[in-house]
């Protein structure tokens, strides 16, 4: 079974919507994105889900993300240290 494409049409442009409607749309989509990200990060550690509901793939993905976040923070920290005036 083929998965139905949810966003087949091109997104509207600011010129088509106008600045005010575009800002409202951005705010709405940003809220949805945050909600979806929160749902993706749910696990037995931060919800009422049982530990057995965490798949091995989910656990491995969380480890990868933690490692990536640590690397990004380290890189940003090193980058910021290099820009300070002495």
């Amino acid at each position: 079974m083929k998965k139905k494409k949810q966003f087949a049409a091109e997104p509207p442009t600011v010129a088509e919507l106008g600045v005010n409607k575009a800002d409202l749309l951005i705010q709405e989509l940003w809220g949805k994105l945050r909600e979806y990200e929160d749902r993706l990060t749910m696990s037995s550690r931060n919800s009422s889900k049982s530990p057995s509901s965490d798949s091995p793939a989910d656990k491995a993905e969380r480890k990868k993300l933690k490692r990536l976040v640590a690397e990004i923070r380290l890189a940003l920290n090193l980058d910021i240290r290099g820009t300070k005036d002495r």
Side-chain angles (χ1 to χ4, degrees):
M1 178 178 7
K2 287 188 178 181
K3 192 173 185 180
K4 182 182 174 185
K5 288 188 177 181
Q6 198 171 15
F7 301 103
E10 290 294 316
T13 63
V14 175
E16 294 170 349
L17 293 176
V19 176
N20 291 336
K21 284 187 179 180
D23 285 340
L24 291 173
L25 180 62
I26 290 170
Q27 293 299 320
E28 178 186 346
L29 294 174
W30 191 261
K32 285 183 181 181
L33 176 64
R34 292 181 77 192
E35 178 186 335
Y36 295 149
E37 286 178 335
D38 289 344
R39 277 196 219 166
L40 285 172
T41 59
M42 291 297 250
S43 69
S44 61
R45 291 182 179 198
N46 60 7
S47 72
S48 60
K49 291 170 63 175
S50 67
S52 61
S53 66
D54 291 344
S55 72
D58 290 341
K59 291 175 186 176
E61 184 65 25
R62 275 197 307 276
K63 278 186 178 181
K64 266 197 248 181
L65 286 173
K66 283 181 183 179
R67 194 171 32 239
L68 180 61
V69 167
E71 289 176 12
I72 291 171
R73 285 183 177 163
L74 178 64
L76 287 174
N77 194 17
L78 291 175
D79 191 33
I80 289 170
R81 280 192 217 150
T83 59
K84 289 184 181 177
D85 294 332
R86 293 181 185 205

